[in-house]
């Protein structure tokens, strides 16, 4: 019996005249992801994307797992295909559907006719499908209001598609449909979550990591590359840019008031991030900051660090508490890597009493003790780029 995947999308339906632009981006991303599972025909028709195996070597399970992580897909149905006549539909339902109803006590039958030439109405067809399920599984009960599983037949151009229950997709918008953003990827819990959340809104992610050798280790850098690889499950490819902050941090330590260390460092980081972003055609910076989580993430501190950049800074975690961020990190598989004990540059020369309500004039006064532009240029000269891909 031939099986296919039926992929439904949500927000794209609302895009009007621009809808085909988003659909085509979604198709390209799906084809890139699913090609690892074999040779599939992937096409769209009537607000549905079809994923059909073209030979016996195709791994439909692997294709489904890949499709679950593609942004823009809201639900996935694994369906069998049969001829568009009631005898074939009845027989296929009896043979195919029971495997999905093991342990299920109640169900509902539903039918949809994209092909209006089919001779039965949708309610009549749903009744026949329900009868087939009851004949195959006489102990199961019908519940039209609160069924555990909906068994559905869809009459479409190429055949009748029968499936039971739908798997939730990643949702969001197709990758790349909202432009490109530069993620400040620290190695902690928050920044990978921020990257995931912006990718879900259609942003192609590039990443920037700051190292501080010898105060931070090579293992810290490897940890960040592993986080980027995990994010590639959702973003396919991430270019990770790495810049050394060692000299900047030593200069701050030697010449500035300790209470301002973190604020000054973050202003350097934002300045360098904007340079990297503009070189790589990124339209925004992305950070994992959560309001009031640490001293550098108060409202006043954020305004001080944002003052040095002239592009949007997206903070998708800004209103989340730590528990909510951790929950997403666990869901996307980055949490266990994020908590590995390899410290990043933000833990170097941490002040004992950081300023939580800084005044911009005092921060700038401390900054004037440094040759800001020369330090930025020297740090930018250390830029190294590593290409991380889903197939690595």
């Amino acid at each position: 019996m031939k099986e296919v995947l039926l992929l439904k999308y949500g927000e794209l339906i609302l895009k009007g005249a621009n809808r085909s632009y988003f659909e085509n981006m979604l198709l390209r991303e799906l084809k890139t992801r699913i090609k690892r599972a074999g040779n599939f025909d992937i096409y769209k028709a009537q607000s549905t994307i079809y994923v059909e195996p073209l030979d016996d070597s195709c791994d439909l399970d692997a294709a489904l797992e890949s499709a679950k992580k593609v942004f823009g897909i809201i639900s996935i149905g694994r369906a069998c295909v049969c001829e568009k006549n009631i005898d074939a539909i009845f027989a296929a339902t009896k043979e195919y559907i029971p495997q999905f109803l093991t342990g299920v006590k109640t169900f509902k039958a539903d039918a949809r006719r994209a092909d209006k030439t089919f001779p039965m109405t949708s309610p009549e067809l749903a009744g026949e499908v329900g009868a087939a399920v009851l004949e195959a599984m006489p102990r199961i009960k019908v519940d039209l209001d609160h069924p555990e599983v909906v068994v559905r037949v869809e009459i479409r151009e190429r055949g009748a598609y029968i499936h039971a229950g739908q798997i939730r997709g990643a949702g969001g918008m197709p990758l790349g449909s909202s432009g490109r953003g530069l993620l400040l990827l620290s190695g902690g819990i928050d920044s990978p979550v921020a990257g995931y959340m912006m990718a879900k809104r259609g942003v192609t992610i590039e990443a920037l990591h700051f190292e501080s050798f010898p105060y931070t280790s090579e293992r810290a850098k490897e940890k960040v590359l592993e986080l980027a690889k995990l994010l590639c499950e959702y973003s396919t490819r991430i270019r990770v840019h790495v810049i050394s902050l060692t000299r900047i941090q030593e200069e701050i330590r030697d010449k500035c008031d300790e209470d301002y260390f973190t604020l000054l460092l973050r202003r350097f980081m934002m300045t360098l991030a904007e340079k990297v972003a503009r070189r790589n055609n990124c339209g925004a910076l992305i950070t994992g900051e959560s309001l009031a989580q640490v001293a550098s993430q108060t409202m006043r501190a954020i305004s001080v660090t944002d003052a040095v950049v002239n592009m949007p800074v997206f903070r998708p975690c800004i209103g989340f508490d730590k528990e909510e961020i951790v929950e997403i990190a666990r869901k996307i598989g980055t949490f266990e890597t994020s908590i590995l004990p390899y410290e990043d540059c933000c833990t170097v020369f941490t002040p004992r009493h950081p300023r939580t309500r800084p005044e911009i004039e005092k921060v700038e006064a401390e900054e004037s003790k440094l040759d800001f532009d020369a330090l930025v240029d020297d740090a930018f000269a250390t830029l190294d780029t590593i290409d991380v891909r889903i197939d690595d």
Side-chain angles (χ1 to χ4, degrees):
M1 184 173 290
K2 182 179 180 180
E3 284 189 290
V4 304
L5 301 180
L6 301 179
L7 280 51
K8 311 287 186 177
Y9 38 81
E11 292 181 64
L12 274 64
I13 293 173
L14 306 175
K15 292 302 178 182
N18 294 323
R19 179 168 155 180
S20 62
Y21 166 78
F22 293 94
E23 289 177 330
N24 290 334
M25 295 195 83
L26 178 54
L27 280 172
R28 285 198 297 271
E29 183 67 14
L30 277 166
K31 290 174 181 178
T32 298
R33 302 285 192 90
I34 290 177
K35 69 181 180 181
R36 297 181 297 166
N39 188 21
F40 289 85
D41 185 17
I42 302 173
Y43 61 93
K44 62 182 173 70
Q46 298 170 315
S47 300
T48 298
I49 293 177
Y50 299 75
V51 179
E52 295 188 359
L54 293 178
D55 55 57
D56 293 339
S57 67
C58 291
D59 187 340
L60 199 65
D61 291 328
L64 190 152
E65 287 303 311
S66 293
K68 282 165 60 176
K69 296 178 179 179
V70 174
F71 293 124
I73 300 299
I74 196 169
S75 66
I76 305 167
R78 184 168 183 155
C80 74
V81 188
C82 67
E83 295 180 8
K84 291 189 288 186
N85 66 71
I86 192 58
D87 291 337
I89 292 169
F90 197 91
T93 300
K94 288 177 61 178
E95 179 183 352
Y96 184 70
I97 292 301
Q99 63 181 308
F100 300 104
L101 301 182
T102 302
V104 174
K105 295 180 180 179
T106 62
F107 83 103
K108 171 186 175 180
D110 185 37
R112 297 183 181 179
R113 296 179 307 135
D115 179 2
K116 300 301 183 183
T117 65
F118 190 76
M120 299 178 70
T121 66
S122 294
E124 289 171 342
L125 181 55
E128 291 295 327
V129 169
V133 173
L134 291 171
E135 187 172 312
M137 304 182 72
R139 293 175 182 265
I140 199 169
K141 304 294 183 183
V142 175
D143 185 342
L144 299 180
D145 297 318
H146 304 289
E148 293 180 56
V149 175
V150 176
V151 177
R152 178 172 288 124
V153 59
E154 300 184 36
I155 306 299
R156 295 183 168 272
E157 182 180 354
R158 297 192 183 187
Y161 298 82
I162 306 162
H163 53 96
Q166 292 185 322
I167 298 167
R168 187 171 182 176
M173 296 296 295
L175 194 67
S177 62
S178 296
R180 184 180 299 273
L182 183 70
L183 170 68
L184 277 67
L185 187 58
S186 68
I189 297 170
D190 304 343
S191 56
V193 170
Y196 162 82
M197 293 175 68
M198 293 312 302
K200 185 174 181 178
R201 298 311 307 158
V203 176
T204 297
I205 299 298
E206 299 215 6
L208 173 60
H209 176 65
F210 294 105
E211 65 179 359
S212 189
F213 184 81
Y215 305 106
T216 57
S217 68
E218 185 66 21
R219 297 296 296 274
K221 179 178 173 182
E222 291 171 0
K223 171 184 170 180
V224 166
L225 295 177
E226 178 61 25
L227 287 171
K229 183 178 178 181
L230 292 169
L231 286 175
C232 282
E233 289 293 323
Y234 300 91
S235 296
T236 306
R237 172 195 179 195
I238 296 177
R239 290 197 300 172
V240 181
H241 309 281
V242 182
I243 288 178
S244 172
L245 289 180
T246 304
R247 187 181 170 209
I248 288 174
Q249 290 183 282
E250 291 175 340
E251 286 284 300
I252 293 172
R253 177 199 61 190
D254 294 341
K255 297 179 179 178
C256 299
D257 185 332
E258 179 186 338
D259 293 356
Y260 291 92
F261 281 6
T262 301
L263 288 166
L264 294 169
L265 179 62
R266 292 189 68 79
R267 283 166 65 89
F268 275 105
M269 292 167 72
M270 296 296 278
T271 301
L272 286 161
E274 183 174 16
K275 285 175 70 69
V276 175
R278 294 197 183 281
R279 171 180 281 194
N280 292 279
N281 299 315
C282 296
L285 304 180
I286 304 165
T287 78
E289 290 160 308
S290 170
L291 188 63
Q293 185 178 121
V294 295
S296 64
Q297 295 176 16
T298 65
M299 193 177 297
R300 291 270 288 271
I302 289 172
S303 69
V304 165
T305 58
D306 276 5
V308 295
V309 297
N310 291 298
M311 66 182 348
V313 182
F314 295 149
R315 296 179 170 90
C317 301
I318 196 70
F320 288 177
D321 62 31
K322 198 66 177 184
E323 184 176 343
E324 291 169 317
I325 296 171
V326 166
E327 182 180 349
I328 297 173
R330 290 187 185 278
K331 182 183 79 170
I332 65 176
T334 57
F335 178 76
E336 295 300 330
T337 300
S338 290
I339 62 174
L340 292 173
Y342 308 123
E343 296 183 331
D344 61 41
C345 69
C346 294
T347 63
V348 178
F349 311 137
T350 303
R352 290 165 293 180
H353 305 291
R355 296 280 176 160
T356 59
R357 296 174 61 83
E359 298 176 15
I360 185 68
E361 296 80 10
K362 292 183 178 180
V363 174
E364 290 174 342
E366 288 297 314
E367 197 171 79
S368 68
K369 299 175 182 179
L370 307 167
D371 191 341
F372 190 91
D373 292 340
L375 287 170
V376 167
D377 290 342
D378 287 349
F380 195 75
T382 69
L383 177 67
D384 183 32
T385 299
I386 303 149
D387 208 0
V388 181
R389 297 176 180 266
I390 193 170
D391 293 325
D392 289 344

